Amino acid sequence: MRRSGSKKTKPGWLHKFLLILNILAAAMLLLSYVASFVSPATFWPIAFLGLGYPFLLLFNFVFILFWLFKKPALSLISVVTILLGWKFLVSTIGFRESTGIQVPKSSNAIVRVMTWNVHYFKRFDDTVYQQTVKNQMMDVIRKEQPDIFCVQEFFSRKKGEYNFKKAIEELLKTKHYYIMELAGNDYEMNGYAIFSKFPIRNRGKLHFPNTVGNDVIFADFEIKQKKLRVYNVHLQSISFQPEDYEYLKNVKEIHTDVNSTKRLSRRIKNAFLKRAEQVDILKKHAEASNLPYIIAGDFNDTPISYAVNTLSNGMKNAFREKGSGFGITYNGDFPNFQIDYILTNPAFEVKNYIIIDKKLSDHYPVRTDLELNP
């Protein structure tokens, strides 16, 4: 006589295979967290896992959804792994409504800080200056009216319609600025700039060794009887060449080749190594000043990186405090990430944060309103 009742079915080979993949994805995600603490100079491969964090996070979310429908208990593999990296999750995605809108400051006690890699005031894919691009960029600055404006890849002609130095001075109604030229002649120049509505009490520059085109400038201010320093940062770029961008386009179409992949990997590795050296130099310099400081600019690295987490140590990350959404600040040909930041001393309260969605440069402008604590 047959016994009635249902037999428990054993997991099929597909479920076993997916479980193994899930464990691997969770392990890789855990390892990506390590990229925040281990210098690429010590073990550079870990930095690539940090770069892959958004994709590893996505894979784990997919596994959570899959197991919730098939075997809910197994979804805990990825849930626990993601929660262990909560710090990194909220540094990448802002789980709140947007706090920053393009409006005037709410009070005179607010200090508005904006950073923008303007790519020489050209669209990333343009080789010439266009009046429409210039007008749109100037319109962003006019509307935002930053008190302190950090500009990377700054460009200005000495006179004429592309005299951006004069244009920004007029828009912000200020004569306070610090510009460091990287290259120039009697006709035009490029470099870094800090424009300010506050008088600049001191200024300086910080050169990185064995680096061309990536430096730091700083300016000291006295605001509400408090002294502070602002660093305008442009950390090591990957320095892709035209052939690299062409290859990236081919990769999107599933066309790859080994030599190009090696070349790109080598460029990214070298950038990781240089940024590790640069942030150690910058952090040491900032802490030696004994001044509250703000670090703003193009870090060329993601929230899950040694560079960003070294500089963020003891600071407030304006995006993490008040940011919303995915925090993407780069819109060029390379996979789009958050690579522009405003880090503030704890002496400030972050009131709001916004990434201004204007595809004019290859970077979006980033702005925050800060209030000095009494």
Side-chain angles (χ1 to χ4, degrees):
M1 183 175 176
R2 269 188 185 176
R3 291 184 179 178
S4 60
S6 59
K7 287 186 177 181
K8 290 185 178 179
T9 58
K10 293 182 179 180
W13 66 268
L14 180 59
H15 277 198
K16 290 180 180 178
F17 176 70
L18 290 174
L19 178 59
I20 292 170
L21 285 183
N22 190 175
I23 293 170
L24 286 173
M28 296 287 277
L29 185 60
L30 282 173
L31 284 174
S32 74
Y33 303 157
V34 180
S36 300
F37 310 108
V38 175
S39 171
T42 302
F43 185 64
W44 61 262
I46 200 71
F48 281 88
L49 278 179
L51 189 63
Y53 170 82
F55 308 104
L56 294 170
L57 182 65
L58 176 61
F59 293 153
N60 277 273
F61 270 121
V62 170
F63 278 119
I64 289 172
L65 292 175
F66 175 79
W67 293 121
L68 283 175
F69 287 102
K70 296 295 182 179
K71 199 165 185 179
L74 292 179
S75 66
L76 290 174
I77 297 171
S78 288
V79 169
V80 172
T81 303
I82 290 171
L83 290 178
L84 286 172
W86 182 255
K87 168 189 173 182
F88 308 112
L89 181 63
V90 296
S91 295
T92 304
I93 305 172
F95 296 98
R96 61 177 65 83
E97 292 185 16
S98 178
T99 59
I101 56 175
Q102 291 171 266
V103 295
K105 295 187 304 177
S106 58
S107 80
N108 290 331
I110 299 294
V111 178
R112 177 164 290 185
V113 179
M114 187 163 86
T115 180
W116 196 0
N117 183 328
V118 296
H119 191 66
Y120 313 110
F121 294 100
K122 297 186 295 187
R123 289 190 192 276
F124 188 61
D125 53 356
D126 285 344
T127 57
V128 297
Y129 300 97
Q130 296 182 6
Q131 188 67 34
T132 54
V133 173
K134 176 204 170 201
N135 291 341
Q136 290 172 345
M137 285 186 152
M138 294 302 105
D139 192 50
V140 170
I141 299 168
R142 181 186 299 107
K143 288 180 179 178
E144 293 302 325
Q145 287 294 312
D147 295 309
I148 299 173
F149 181 28
C150 297
V151 190
Q152 305 87 47
E153 297 189 4
F154 179 73
F155 166 85
S156 184
R157 289 186 176 156
K158 301 300 172 71
K159 58 183 179 180
E161 63 179 344
Y162 296 108
N163 185 341
F164 289 105
K165 171 184 164 291
K166 181 181 178 182
I168 294 173
E169 284 182 278
E170 291 176 349
L171 288 173
L172 299 182
K173 298 180 176 61
T174 184
K175 290 292 183 181
H176 307 303
Y177 62 86
Y178 172 37
I179 295 174
M180 186 186 84
E181 290 192 16
L182 291 178
N185 51 41
D186 292 337
Y187 178 59
E188 60 187 20
M189 60 73 62
N190 68 68
Y192 302 90
I194 298 175
F195 291 89
S196 170
K197 294 185 179 183
F198 306 107
I200 296 174
R201 305 300 187 190
N202 181 38
R203 64 192 69 193
K205 52 192 175 184
L206 185 60
H207 286 300
F208 296 130
N210 305 315
T211 302
V212 178
N214 294 99
D215 293 287
V216 174
I217 64 174
F218 64 87
D220 295 346
F221 305 91
E222 187 172 331
I223 304 173
K224 304 294 182 184
Q225 298 182 325
K226 289 189 178 181
K227 294 180 180 179
L228 66 114
R229 173 168 291 179
V230 175
Y231 286 91
N232 180 10
V233 175
H234 190 195
L235 297 182
Q236 182 64 45
S237 306
I238 298 175
S239 300
F240 282 152
Q241 300 302 307
E243 63 269 23
D244 299 317
Y245 288 111
E246 185 61 32
Y247 176 63
L248 286 171
K249 291 179 182 177
N250 291 334
V251 166
K252 291 177 182 178
E253 300 170 5
I254 321 298
H255 299 301
T256 62
D257 72 80
V258 174
N259 290 333
S260 295
T261 301
K262 286 182 177 179
R263 184 181 67 243
L264 260 66
S265 299
R266 187 167 56 250
R267 291 194 196 281
I268 296 171
K269 171 191 169 183
N270 290 338
F272 280 137
L273 292 171
K274 284 193 174 184
R275 284 195 294 270
E277 179 184 31
Q278 291 167 0
V279 297
D280 288 339
I281 293 170
L282 173 55
K283 192 72 173 178
K284 185 177 179 180
H285 187 276
E287 291 180 344
S289 71
N290 294 319
L291 289 174
Y293 57 91
I294 295 170
I295 302 178
D298 176 4
F299 291 17
N300 272 312
D301 222 333
T302 66
I304 318 301
S305 67
Y306 176 80
V308 172
N309 282 274
T310 297
L311 291 179
S312 300
N313 186 31
M315 305 282 283
K316 292 180 179 179
N317 182 326
F319 172 80
R320 186 174 175 183
E321 295 288 320
K322 294 291 182 179
S324 176
F326 287 96
I328 293 169
T329 67
Y330 181 74
N331 64 79
D333 290 330
F334 195 62
N336 296 353
F337 296 115
Q338 180 184 176
I339 62 174
D340 302 85
Y341 303 85
I342 300 175
L343 309 177
T344 78
N345 189 268
F348 289 96
E349 181 183 351
V350 180
K351 305 299 289 186
N352 57 44
Y353 173 95
I354 184 173
I355 298 168
I356 301 163
D357 188 14
K358 300 285 185 182
K359 289 189 177 182
L360 298 169
S361 162
D362 54 335
H363 292 249
Y364 296 112
V366 174
R367 184 265 283 165
T368 187
D369 285 347
L370 308 173
E371 185 172 19
L372 275 165
N373 293 325

